[in-house]
Amino acid sequence: MTALNIVPFVSVDNMMRLVHAVGIEAMLVRLAAAVAEDFSRWEAFHKTPRIAAHSSDGVIELMPTSDGQTYGFKYVNGHPKNAAGGRQTVTAFGVLADVGNGYPVLITEMTLLTALRTAATSALAARALARPGSRTMALIGNGAQAEFQALAFRALLGVDVLRLYDIDPAATAKCLRNLASLGFDLTACGSTEEAVRGADIVTTVTADKRNAVILSDNLVGEGMHINAVGGDCPGKTELAPEVLARAALFVEYEPQTRIECEIQQLAPDHPVTELWRVLAGLAPGRHDARQVTVFDSVGFAIEDFSALRTVRDLLAEHPYYEELDLLADPDDPRDLFGMLLRAAPPRLVA
């Protein structure tokens, strides 16, 4: 694209077209590969905990990072009460920019893209941490993220047996309906206890903004891998502290996770391992088949960077975007005011 004023913009409509052109599970695999690639060069990135503005209603956050050549950020909110008013709990958009000149090279919706990259990262972590051959997963919380998690775990690990539970039966019914024709062995359960029975992997992805015990210690059996997704801000947790105390804990970016995730319940020096170290072969993952592992997931800006660059690359093959006239481009870069004057409407002649 040669016009300096134009930035590619991927709307929700075009994001859906793009995902279907690639294939949902193929998109999840591609996103997981991009996250793994960027985690393998972790030290190349500028890293900071996300910048959050909390209120009694929810949180609005900015998630920036850069690898020195490309800059990316995501705007995202989390408002658990939104669903009651017909709004999404989480919405997002993102920007990718050229560090060399500061010009944006992509603007895209990231509500769908965040759901996809969250699920892809979860499955990527589980592939490194769960017992080999894990096929049965309990999904506790059957809201907007649940189906994405299910498809990612099948695409990356072969998980095809799902046990579903939500305190809202309508959410479970929605999840069953959406997954019914996609080849899973599905069971709707009446409690968390029933859902986790026989599960190799447990994914907790609830939305309530409070300290909760979704998974108590007596429900966690030997060898289980827990994918804890829902605890994502101060004061919001899903796992009992006793579960964390006896598990091997893996996180994305420790300074952020200490504030926002399950380990906010533990002492500041409780040992954890950043996932990138496992993926890079610098730290062990699971030690044996009896060990309990927890991926204490909160989402990190490098994952969004990976998702943004994946979309940028896919647009060359699948041009589902609009040309957004975003940047001023005067003939003389120093004459911005002159550009404005030349755009004045002609005066009416009496």
Side-chain angles (χ1 to χ4, degrees), residues 113-136:
L113 190 57
T114 294
L116 289 159
R117 77 88 166 124
T118 299
T121 304
S122 291
L124 177 67
R127 191 169 64 182
L129 300 173
R131 288 178 298 188
S134 294
R135 287 188 55 209
T136 301

Side-chain angles (χ1 to χ4, degrees), residues 64-133:
T65 192
S66 171
D67 66 355
Q69 296 186 14
T70 307
Y71 171 90
F73 82 86
K74 182 174 76 176
Y75 167 100
V76 61
N77 78 296
H79 285 69
K81 299 175 185 176
N82 275 5
R87 291 183 170 89
Q88 290 285 298
T89 299
V90 175
T91 65
F93 69 87
V95 175
L96 208 60
D98 185 331
V99 168
N101 55 41
Y103 271 41
V105 297
L106 175 69
I107 297 179
T108 179
E109 83 80 37
M110 288 193 75
T111 307
L112 279 165
L113 190 57
T114 294
L116 289 159
R117 77 88 166 124
T118 299
T121 304
S122 291
L124 177 67
R127 191 169 64 182
L129 300 173
R131 288 178 298 188

Side-chain angles (χ1 to χ4, degrees), residues 108-269:
T108 179
E109 83 80 37
M110 288 193 75
T111 307
L112 279 165
L113 190 57
T114 294
L116 289 159
R117 77 88 166 124
T118 299
T121 304
S122 291
L124 177 67
R127 191 169 64 182
L129 300 173
R131 288 178 298 188
S134 294
R135 287 188 55 209
T136 301
M137 181 165 72
L139 261 175
I140 312 300
N142 301 156
Q145 177 64 207
E147 296 91 339
F148 295 93
Q149 293 281 331
L151 288 167
F153 273 78
R154 182 170 69 181
L156 271 74
L157 283 85
V159 168
D160 57 3
V161 180
L162 299 177
R163 303 176 61 80
L164 310 178
Y165 174 68
D166 195 292
I167 58 172
D168 180 4
T172 301
K174 177 271 302 178
C175 198
L176 284 169
R177 185 171 63 250
N178 287 340
L179 295 175
S181 64
L182 299 182
F184 290 98
D185 179 345
L186 300 167
T187 302
C189 300
S191 66
T192 299
E193 293 87 341
E194 183 184 350
V196 302
R197 197 174 301 137
D200 303 302
I201 299 168
V202 177
T203 288
T204 58
V205 58
T206 62
D208 197 4
K209 194 173 188 278
R210 63 189 173 96
N211 286 116
V213 178
I214 306 301
L215 201 59
S216 55
D217 189 40
N218 65 306
L219 300 181
V220 178
E222 285 186 351
M224 189 175 281
H225 173 66
I226 301 169
N227 176 39
V229 181
D232 58 4
C233 65
K236 182 183 178 188
T237 59
E238 296 179 316
L239 307 185
E242 294 80 9
V243 174
L244 304 174
R246 68 183 177 97
L249 304 177
F250 299 86
V251 303
E252 288 141 315
Y253 181 52
E254 184 179 346
Q256 178 173 289
T257 310
R258 292 281 183 194
I259 299 168
E260 297 188 343
C261 241
E262 298 299 328
I263 62 171
Q264 66 184 279
Q265 304 177 79
L266 303 179
D269 59 350

